[in-house]
Amino acid sequence: MAEQGYGFPPLVFRLHGGAPQVVREVLLERGWEEFDEEVQQEGDWNLYWRTSGFRNSDYENILPWQRLNHHPKVTHVTRKDYLVRHLRRMKCAFGATLYGFSPSTFILPNEYTKFLGVYTKNHSSRYWICKPVDLSRGRGIFLFEDIKDLVYDSSVIVQRYISNPLLISGYKFDLRIYVCVKSFSPLVIYMHQEGLVRFATEKYTLASLHNLYSHLTNTSINRFGLCYAMDKERVGKGCKWTLSQFRCFLHKQDVNELLLWHKISNIVTLTLLKAVPCIPSSPNCLELLGFDILIDSSYKPWLLEVNHSPALSVDCAADVTVKKGLIGDFIDLLNYRTIDSFRQKGHLRKKYTRSGSKDLQPKVFQGILLSKTLHATPIRKRSWTRPISTSLGSRDIGLCSVNASARNSTVYANRPVSKSKSYDKSTEKVIAVEVESDDLNLRPKNSTRNTPSSVCKLPSLYENKLKSPTFAWNCRTPDRGVPACRVGDFILTFPFNEATWKASREKVDVKVVVNEVQKLTNRLASSFNANERMKTGSSRTGGAVRDKFEALLWGPKDPPLLSECCFSGSELKSKGV
């Protein structure tokens, strides 16, 4: 990691107003530096974190060393009415068996007549829940049984209420699953091993639909309930568990845990699959999504909604356990390299050290120049004091030598900057790197901004508009290869084999992906009986059939390979393992 390497400038993060405090804390602990717009140049940052979405210009002007924490147009998945339309089209195309994980939903007021027809005919769906399409944290949500209670003044969705949720000691709960979409083209999905279980703070009952503390699990609502601080039976104080605690509960209930997690993984994949054509490729972006999953009394998982910026506030011990590790693993997925710490031209000034005289002497230096497209003129005031290493691996970037002899700073302050060209044979592209003359402005460290009138001023360094040298920037992203199976507690859940990788490379082949998901689900379901489980367990010592993905099954703390779960002992033997 560049952020940990000695001799390199620290990576810089930029937070927009309202960004979670835990993000700042994690980045500072990892040795990052926070962006200061008063002393740093506009493009001199590596990560820009916003709770809301970015502007189109932010995506268009992004530089090679920069990352954004949102992909463009992700509202196709996270806005409730858009999500309903996408899932409805996929359900019509591939059937309710595969896409039956979302309750019946109607978008009002446009589909009011259709909803009224279903409401009057289907007496089994007595309870409904109404949600505004563009609000979060439980705002504006209410339940109703009588259509007379359906009152709204904006666009909403009306969804069949799942009235038989799985309960723990009488309390309703749902799961907050954290998902990182590393890329939409090709589609690469990671799911975090750790997440949150969010409880309602009063026991579940259908006798009172207006009691939100009984029916809603949003922390933003339940923290104001009278029972929030009480030590509730089995649940404890507050309203959150970690997923690890929930796995312990499932283990005691003798639930087919691996199959349940795989069903949840399928929900995530199939939900994001339809949105791929709507979201443009942005290789310097990552998206952290929050999937809200409800499990009913028959252990079937249901998708409730997808959150664009899942809450990262820290309110309890479970939050600390989950969210600090989540952010750290998310930063690792951003795939920063050593070269990313050399932003623009600021690092060139750091090659000058103070000699015995009052002048500054340049050292012989071989460094890296990065492409610069933002022409900010202010000189960076803050200095970084550690020396820059002169040895960098060739895997990071092509090198451009900048050799300088020890000269007097006054004499050579206005020396010309030469122009050279270097070509990358693989891409045959030349990208300019600007080295403005203020990089070579040699000033004693104890000098002040207001120079006394008795001192002779140097000519303006901006009068000579010299063309900058160029070097080859390899525009190919290193993330185009097979993604890592695991980054921290993020587990690769898609692609999970060669077929799904090939089907999602360019224009996603939805039919192939859906077929592979179905085949894997059927193989997992058929292999999880007692005999097969014993055979699979004995086969792990002898190895398993693996491709270059070595895909991991999300769910347990140390998940087995999918191939180990899908193949019985006899199948492995027949394959020569």
Side-chain angles (χ1 to χ4, degrees):
M1 291 293 295
E3 59 192 288
Q4 298 173 344
Y6 175 78
F8 297 108
L11 295 171
V12 174
F13 66 92
R14 181 179 182 180
L15 300 183
H16 188 260
Q21 180 64 24
V22 67
V23 176
R24 175 182 284 107
E25 292 176 359
V26 170
L27 289 171
L28 291 175
E29 288 174 3
R30 293 168 68 101
W32 285 54
E33 177 182 299
E34 186 164 5
F35 178 78
D36 189 340
E37 60 183 6
E38 294 184 0
V39 298
Q40 288 175 301
Q41 300 176 35
E42 176 61 26
D44 195 14
W45 49 265
N46 297 99
L47 171 62
Y48 192 0
W49 189 292
R50 291 176 63 109
T51 301
S52 57
F54 291 93
R55 300 164 296 184
N56 291 336
S57 60
D58 294 323
Y59 297 108
E60 295 167 356
N61 299 326
I62 192 170
L63 299 169
W65 60 85
Q66 297 176 332
R67 312 286 192 275
L68 305 177
N69 72 312
H70 289 305
H71 281 279
K73 299 185 178 180
V74 182
T75 52
H76 285 277
V77 178
T78 59
R79 186 176 157 110
K80 297 180 182 66
D81 51 347
Y82 293 172
L83 179 62
V84 168
R85 294 189 183 99
H86 281 306
L87 294 180
R88 190 181 292 168
R89 282 192 287 266
M90 296 294 279
K91 189 174 182 178
C92 292
F94 298 102
T97 302
L98 195 63
Y99 273 88
F101 53 79
S102 179
S104 300
T105 310
F106 301 90
I107 305 170
L108 304 186
N110 293 346
E111 297 176 354
Y112 180 80
T113 303
K114 187 185 296 185
F115 164 67
L116 189 60
V118 172
Y119 174 83
T120 55
K121 290 181 181 179
N122 193 351
H123 297 288
S124 60
S125 299
R126 293 178 51 194
Y127 305 103
W128 299 85
I129 184 169
C130 181
K131 307 175 184 178
V133 299
D134 56 355
L135 295 182
S136 59
R137 302 194 299 274
R139 292 173 295 176
I141 296 179
F142 64 92
L143 281 71
F144 67 95
E145 182 179 6
D146 193 333
I147 199 171
K148 295 178 181 179
D149 296 327
L150 177 58
V151 179
Y152 55 92
D153 57 3
S154 63
S155 183
V156 298
I157 62 168
V158 172
Q159 192 173 69
R160 183 179 67 82
Y161 185 61
I162 300 172
S163 56
N164 63 327
L166 181 65
L167 306 177
I168 296 180
S169 297
Y171 294 94
K172 180 183 175 181
F173 67 92
D174 69 2
L175 309 180
R176 168 59 60 86
I177 307 296
Y178 294 102
V179 175
C180 177
V181 184
K182 189 170 178 62
S183 168
F184 280 93
S185 179
L187 182 61
V188 178
I189 304 172
Y190 286 86
M191 296 175 63
H192 205 259
Q193 288 279 71
E194 198 58 277
L196 292 172
V197 183
R198 308 180 306 171
F199 287 91
T201 51
E202 295 188 16
K203 292 198 173 185
Y204 179 77
T205 175
L206 290 171
S208 176
L209 297 181
H210 301 293
N211 185 1
L212 298 183
Y213 301 121
S214 173
H215 294 279
L216 299 187
T217 60
N218 304 79
T219 306
S220 56
I221 292 176
N222 281 281
R223 63 186 301 181
F224 298 106
L226 297 176
C227 300
Y228 176 77
M230 292 176 55
D231 193 0
K232 297 173 284 296
E233 179 185 358
R234 200 167 191 173
V235 174
K237 295 181 180 180
C239 61
K240 290 179 183 177
W241 278 3
T242 64
L243 276 185
S244 297
Q245 291 175 276
F246 183 60
R247 291 189 183 103
C248 292
F249 167 79
L250 292 178
H251 183 71
K252 294 177 181 178
Q253 301 297 314
D254 196 24
V255 177
N256 192 336
E257 185 183 343
L258 294 179
L259 190 58
L260 173 63
W261 298 125
H262 178 69
K263 289 179 179 178
I264 296 175
S265 176
N266 280 356
I267 290 176
V268 173
T269 299
L270 296 173
T271 300
L272 294 172
L273 190 61
K274 183 59 181 175
V276 171
C278 306
I279 299 176
S281 176
S282 302
N284 282 35
C285 301
L286 264 76
E287 190 74 46
L288 181 63
L289 300 171
F291 277 69
D292 290 344
I293 304 293
L294 177 73
I295 301 176
D296 66 18
S297 56
S298 59
Y299 289 94
K300 176 181 177 178
W302 295 86
L303 175 66
L304 300 181
E305 60 184 59
V306 182
N307 295 271
H308 178 249
S309 290
L312 295 175
S313 57
V314 177
D315 301 319
C316 60
D319 282 334
V320 176
T321 301
V322 172
K323 294 176 181 179
K324 295 199 72 172
L326 171 72
I327 297 301
D329 294 338
F330 183 82
I331 300 304
D332 290 339
L333 270 174
L334 289 168
N335 193 31
Y336 281 104
R337 298 171 294 156
T338 300
I339 188 63
D340 293 319
S341 63
F342 293 90
R343 299 169 300 275
Q344 294 182 299
K345 60 186 178 58
H347 68 280
L348 292 179
R349 285 197 302 276
K350 312 306 183 298
K351 69 176 181 277
Y352 296 104
T353 58
R354 185 167 181 80
S355 65
S357 63
K358 293 185 178 180
D359 296 325
L360 296 178
Q361 302 293 335
K363 296 193 302 181
V364 177
F365 174 77
Q366 185 178 25
I368 294 177
L369 304 181
L370 283 181
S371 61
K372 178 187 174 187
T373 58
L374 298 179
H375 303 276
T377 57
I379 299 174
R380 184 177 176 182
K381 304 177 185 64
R382 179 160 44 188
S383 63
W384 178 72
T385 57
R386 289 184 292 177
I388 292 182
S389 173
T390 59
S391 61
L392 291 174
S394 59
R395 60 180 294 184
D396 286 327
I397 198 69
L399 297 181
C400 176
S401 298
V402 182
N403 297 322
S405 302
R407 300 184 180 100
N408 184 276
S409 61
T410 304
V411 176
Y412 292 99
N414 264 338
R415 64 178 180 175
V417 180
S418 62
K419 176 181 178 181
S420 62
K421 289 185 178 180
S422 175
Y423 293 87
D424 186 342
K425 294 181 179 180
S426 61
T427 58
E428 295 184 356
K429 291 185 179 180
V430 178
I431 298 179
V433 180
E434 295 193 8
V435 184
E436 294 183 7
S437 53
D438 64 307
D439 282 324
L440 306 177
N441 182 7
L442 309 179
R443 183 191 302 169
K445 287 187 177 180
N446 57 0
S447 64
T448 60
R449 176 175 294 274
N450 298 323
T451 307
S453 58
S454 60
V455 179
C456 180
K457 294 183 180 180
L458 294 176
S460 172
L461 297 179
Y462 293 98
E463 290 180 356
N464 298 326
K465 297 182 179 179
L466 303 173
K467 293 185 179 180
S468 60
T470 61
F471 81 105
W473 174 274
N474 187 354
C475 295
R476 294 177 300 175
T477 171
D479 300 331
R480 299 298 293 183
V482 174
C485 290
R486 184 169 191 160
V487 178
D489 275 343
F490 271 113
I491 304 299
L492 179 70
T493 57
F494 187 89
F496 51 83
N497 59 18
E498 290 281 355
T500 51
W501 175 244
K502 293 177 181 177
S504 63
R505 285 304 301 268
E506 302 301 333
K507 185 177 180 181
V508 63
D509 192 331
V510 178
K511 291 184 179 180
V512 171
V513 173
V514 169
N515 186 47
E516 289 296 318
V517 170
Q518 278 185 312
K519 288 197 303 184
L520 178 59
T521 302
N522 294 337
R523 289 162 63 189
L524 283 169
S526 63
S527 65
F528 278 129
N529 55 56
N531 294 331
E532 294 291 343
R533 199 177 286 179
M534 290 177 59
K535 293 178 182 178
T536 303
S538 62
S539 68
R540 288 177 187 170
T541 58
V545 177
R546 305 180 183 181
D547 57 20
K548 62 184 178 181
F549 284 90
E550 296 188 352
L552 296 167
L553 185 66
W554 177 82
K557 192 63 178 177
D558 296 310
L561 300 179
L562 283 175
S563 55
E564 294 175 349
C565 296
C566 294
F567 295 114
S568 64
S570 59
E571 288 174 312
L572 291 169
K573 187 176 180 179
S574 66
K575 293 181 180 293
V577 177

